[in-house]
Amino acid sequence: MSNYHIKGLKEYFQVYGMAVDDPEQFWEEIAEENFVWRKYWDSVLDWDFEKPEVKWFDGAQLNITENCIDRHLNHHGDKTAFIFEPNDPSEAAEHISYKDLHKRVCKFANVLKSKGIKRGDRVCIYLPMIPELAVSMLACARIGAIHSVVFAGFSSVALSTRINDASCKMVITSDGSYRGTKKVDLKVIVDDALNNSPSVEDVLVVKRTGCEVVLKEGRDEWLAPLLENSSIECIAETLEAEDPLFILYTSGSTGKPKGMLHTTAGYMVNVAYTFKNVFQYKGDDVFWCSADIGWITGHSYTVYGPLINGATSIIYEGVPNFPDWGRFWALIDKHQVSQLYTAPTAIRALAKENLSYVEKYKLTSLKVLGTVGEPINEEAWHWYNNNVGKKDCPIADTWWQTETGGIMISPIPFSTPTIPTFATLPLPGIQACLMDEQGKEIKGNRVEGRLCIKFPWPSIARTIWGDHKRYKDTYFSTFENKYFTGDRALRDATGYYRITGRVDDVIIVSGHNLGTAPIEDAINEHPAVAESAIVGFPHDIKGNALYGYVTLKDSGLSIDNDHLRKEINLIITEKIGPIAKLDKIQFTSALPQTRSGKIMRRILRRIASGDVDNIGDISTLINPETVKDVMDNVLL
Ligand code: WT7
């Protein structure tokens, strides 16, 4: 039995059980049968919880791009690897075959080499959703450079912080980007960032919007002429299993973003396996993950997972509502998409519009639907099921994280019966468990607790770049011998998991992971602000939106100060990006604090959600009188 592609619930339980009994054998079989290795491993897994250190397939040698591209050339060279669908539907879509991709990646890799980029160097990629984004990632991987993709919606300050954290030597960007009717001048943002990022020696610029750019002599160059003069052959570097593949930043509960480091072999095996099973990809299916490649979802399921499986994957440049709210559905019919993988926030936004936008299209090519990034509410699940899947496409509600590299808990379509709002069962090789606050495992069903993972799986992030202690503290210090996810979950009578939210100060807004601390830090830089606290509150489309409590230095400033509100959001946009803007800002005279000076976010969260009857005990506060004041002025 090949356990690479699961068929049926019975087989799932069999394979799952096997993987629990002998995880190493389970992953080893998958690794042996489905990839190109230049040298096999000496050991499957080395794991030390104390350090913590994890190594998968140690001793093995490989290049992930050989698995993504070269090995498909003989039999599937003409198959389309990427379909690029531009922002403007009147611009022709581009079909990039595996052969074309090979040439483009080799050329790009040669350009990187000519600029002195070597194995282990960090390259920052700040690009819109255009083919060069995927090509440049693969070009890095081809020569063993570590890519660090920064979502092109982040501000120059956020970009610069990320460049500096990893001391990137190069930035790859474009003149600008298209987002619906908007144009953003990305190169200007990069220029701004580079005023504070001295490690960058070279900037390669892709021409996309044709806007004017300033090229700094000796540092910046257009990419196209460099590519033209570069060879179409570039032998893939032989890399070690644990060589770093990429860094990707995610927010934490405190200050600096965490640069999660993923390595080569384990990540490859894990994303390949999960792509195949969760999306049930077959033959000539066309797969579309609508997430930006700047997030882990795009890394694993627009680029690496599909390519390793020789799939056709769509890169869509635009937004769901341009030229109108039917764009997603038009795209699905146009390219005969078989699998759609998107976020609950997108579904809720689409569901708010007139049904005629969906009904205009056939959507008969669809076979499997997926969601990711946040809990999907029942209403959105049914809308997706009824109107997009026509009750004929299983929905995979996939739970995972930037840190996990690949999907962890998800139904296997056509095998696992689905229930709305449940991510259902852990995939084979993943041992989920629930822990109580005393650090004991909660056994049995119909229980709720903190979601942990028991055994290291191949695509777990190996460290936080430059801060291994933070890695240990964040994920491995709460519970002995377990990876702590930061999420809460319940397990129902049948053993299905439902993710019920975060237990830390991370808020998921429109599927984006936002830490409260960096937003508060940004606000506190405003000269009029004394103190601030951010909490999440339920929002129809975004899932959660941000509510800011802000205490001003001069309490004489009117509480209706809209000008100040605008300025506060402007500062957030500057320091982080528009995704972190606050929906509501309440000016407060003081914030409820514990005796040790901690702001009581629990109370503020309840107030912002209109849940004032459940404020709970406030007697431990140093300033209980502030609670009434905050409640009296709440913006609901
Ligand atoms: C956090 C991770 C994994 C790709 C996108 C987000 C939340 C993710 C689900 C889901 C409920 C979910 C969790 C998790 N989350 N998927 N299916 N149901 N919650 O990656 O930015 O690292 O965020 O997103 O809270 O911890 P990320």
Side-chain angles (χ1 to χ4, degrees):
M1 177 176 68
S2 159
N3 55 29
Y4 191 60
H5 202 164
I6 288 170
K7 294 165 221 72
L9 194 60
K10 203 170 136 224
E11 193 178 310
Y12 160 80
F13 281 116
Q14 258 173 10
V15 175
Y16 189 84
M18 231 167 63
V20 172
D21 293 344
D22 195 343
E24 295 186 35
Q25 193 196 337
F26 169 75
W27 288 111
E28 181 166 40
E29 270 177 26
I30 292 169
E32 262 167 4
E33 287 167 19
N34 300 285
F35 304 91
V36 180
W37 301 93
R38 293 196 179 165
K39 175 179 171 286
Y40 279 117
W41 42 93
D42 303 320
S43 65
V44 179
L45 171 68
D46 299 289
W47 168 235
D48 177 344
F49 181 81
E50 278 315 306
K51 285 185 180 167
E53 181 181 73
V54 53
K55 291 183 190 166
W56 280 91
F57 310 112
D58 201 30
Q61 293 181 331
L62 73 156
N63 187 289
I64 195 169
T65 68
E66 195 171 25
N67 283 277
C68 286
I69 311 170
D70 303 55
R71 64 156 154 168
H72 305 308
L73 295 180
N74 271 345
H75 299 292
H76 303 287
D78 293 320
K79 182 171 175 178
T80 301
F82 287 122
I83 299 175
F84 170 57
E85 171 70 17
N87 178 63
D88 182 346
S90 65
E91 189 182 330
E94 192 184 343
H95 288 245
I96 302 168
S97 69
Y98 275 90
K99 267 190 201 151
D100 297 337
L101 183 64
H102 182 257
K103 282 190 204 137
R104 288 174 73 157
V105 169
C106 286
K107 274 173 166 263
F108 207 128
N110 285 326
V111 170
L112 296 181
K113 282 205 234 172
S114 75
K115 292 285 170 194
I117 298 295
K118 294 184 304 293
R119 182 170 175 171
D121 286 344
R122 277 79 60 206
V123 173
C124 173
I125 303 174
Y126 187 72
L127 280 173
M129 284 286 281
I130 54 177
E132 284 79 3
L133 174 47
V135 170
S136 58
M137 290 161 74
L138 294 160
C140 288
R142 190 123 184 125
I143 63 170
I146 307 171
H147 58 73
S148 167
V149 180
V150 176
F151 171 60
F154 275 119
S155 71
S156 63
V157 177
L159 173 61
S160 167
T161 308
R162 286 159 176 75
I163 293 172
N164 296 346
D165 183 71
S167 312
C168 294
K169 270 176 81 173
M170 175 187 270
V171 176
I172 301 168
T173 188
S174 67
D175 51 356
S177 71
Y178 294 116
R179 304 276 300 156
T181 52
K182 276 190 250 158
K183 264 197 212 178
V184 183
D185 293 348
L186 289 186
K187 177 62 166 54
V188 173
I189 299 174
V190 171
D191 290 342
D192 218 23
L194 293 192
N195 286 330
N196 301 306
S197 295
S199 62
V200 175
E201 292 165 16
D202 290 283
V203 179
L204 304 181
V205 189
V206 179
K207 192 171 231 149
R208 178 59 186 142
T209 60
C211 68
E212 219 173 288
V213 304
V214 181
L215 295 183
K216 186 173 167 190
E217 180 82 39
R219 186 192 71 185
D220 309 350
E221 265 187 88
W222 289 112
L223 179 70
L226 293 171
L227 284 176
E228 223 162 90
N229 298 320
S230 135
S231 153
I232 57 165
E233 288 302 333
C234 172
I235 308 239
E237 184 98 7
T238 300
L239 300 174
E240 304 296 322
E242 284 297 335
D243 272 346
L245 177 62
F246 65 84
I247 299 168
L248 187 61
Y249 288 87
T250 187
S251 320
S253 7
T254 55
K256 250 172 76 165
K258 298 176 287 192
M260 304 314 307
L261 181 77
H262 284 282
T263 57
T264 305
Y267 176 79
M268 172 180 82
V269 170
N270 215 144
V271 299
Y273 178 75
T274 50
F275 175 79
K276 184 87 178 169
N277 278 292
V278 172
F279 302 110
Q280 293 289 306
Y281 187 90
K282 293 198 183 74
D284 289 323
D285 286 353
V286 173
F287 177 80
W288 179 29
C289 163
S290 75
D292 196 287
I293 293 175
W295 311 115
I296 190 71
T297 311
H299 277 60
S300 299
Y301 300 109
T302 298
V303 182
Y304 288 110
L307 294 183
I308 297 165
N309 283 287
T312 300
S313 168
I314 292 187
I315 297 175
Y316 172 47
E317 183 182 31
V319 292
N321 60 348
F322 178 76
D324 63 42
W325 283 100
R327 185 65 187 277
F328 267 34
W329 322 126
L331 196 159
I332 289 168
D333 276 5
K334 176 175 174 190
H335 297 297
Q336 291 292 290
V337 171
S338 328
Q339 292 93 355
L340 170 65
Y341 191 30
T342 192
T345 184
I347 297 168
R348 288 190 295 264
L350 291 158
K352 260 201 129 155
E353 301 305 316
N354 200 305
L355 209 53
S356 62
Y357 284 116
V358 197
E359 286 168 347
K360 237 174 92 184
Y361 300 93
K362 293 200 180 75
L363 307 182
T364 44
S365 56
L366 286 171
K367 297 199 277 197
V368 171
L369 302 175
T371 74
V372 61
E374 56 184 314
I376 179 162
N377 50 309
E378 218 162 320
E379 209 183 336
W381 194 96
H382 285 297
W383 188 88
Y384 200 31
N385 187 39
N386 295 341
N387 301 299
V388 183
K390 318 279 186 205
K391 296 191 177 144
D392 201 28
C393 300
I395 297 177
D397 174 354
T398 64
W399 174 87
W400 56 298
Q401 309 177 298
T402 305
E403 294 86 337
T404 69
I407 297 169
M408 302 286 280
I409 305 182
S410 166
I412 294 178
F414 310 110
S415 296
T416 319
T418 57
I419 303 179
T421 78
F422 281 82
T424 76
L425 300 166
L427 294 178
I430 306 304
Q431 298 187 40
C433 64
L434 298 176
M435 304 295 290
D436 70 16
E437 273 161 51
Q438 282 70 49
K440 268 194 31 216
E441 185 175 348
I442 310 170
K443 303 264 184 175
N445 289 340
R446 290 180 196 271
V447 289
E448 180 160 12
R450 286 156 189 240
L451 180 64
C452 290
I453 313 294
K454 269 191 197 169
F455 202 87
W457 61 100
S459 63
I460 183 176
R462 303 300 196 255
T463 190
I464 293 174
W465 184 265
D467 198 348
H468 197 65
K469 182 175 179 300
R470 187 175 181 198
Y471 174 73
K472 180 170 179 163
D473 291 348
T474 311
Y475 306 107
F476 300 96
S477 300
T478 320
F479 302 107
E480 182 70 18
N481 254 312
K482 284 169 193 76
Y483 166 85
F484 176 43
T485 64
D487 282 324
R488 221 178 19 237
L490 63 79
R491 196 163 51 221
D492 77 355
T494 57
Y496 274 19
Y497 285 89
R498 174 194 196 165
I499 315 305
T500 47
R502 301 283 311 181
V503 297
D504 54 11
D505 288 327
V506 170
I507 306 171
I508 314 269
V509 178
S510 297
H512 301 313
N513 200 331
L514 297 174
T516 52
I519 305 176
E520 289 163 5
D521 291 348
I523 300 175
N524 297 349
E525 282 192 30
H526 190 287
V529 172
E531 187 178 39
S532 62
I534 306 298
V535 297
F537 70 98
H539 185 280
D540 273 3
I541 291 179
K542 303 182 193 178
N544 293 297
L546 299 177
Y547 192 112
Y549 295 93
V550 178
T551 308
L552 300 173
K553 285 182 184 152
D554 173 1
S555 55
L557 289 169
S558 148
I559 53 165
D560 285 325
N561 199 329
D562 277 341
H563 176 67
L564 252 181
R565 288 195 174 92
K566 273 199 193 114
E567 279 189 4
I568 287 171
N569 267 331
L570 207 65
I571 237 181
I572 296 174
T573 308
E574 247 166 56
K575 302 275 173 198
I576 302 165
I579 50 173
K581 281 205 290 196
L582 309 181
D583 268 46
K584 293 180 187 172
I585 299 175
Q586 176 181 353
F587 294 112
T588 45
S589 54
L591 294 170
Q593 282 179 3
T594 62
R595 276 168 211 287
S596 57
K598 252 187 95 173
I599 296 175
M600 282 294 269
R601 286 198 177 65
R602 177 176 55 80
I603 292 176
L604 294 175
R605 212 176 290 133
R606 297 242 158 92
I607 296 174
S609 309
D611 189 12
V612 287
D613 297 335
N614 281 309
I615 293 298
D617 183 17
I618 59 169
S619 64
T620 58
L621 296 178
I622 196 162
N623 52 0
E625 71 287 353
T626 54
V627 174
K628 183 173 180 315
D629 186 50
V630 170
M631 282 199 305
D632 287 347
N633 294 300
V634 68
L635 307 166
L636 290 180

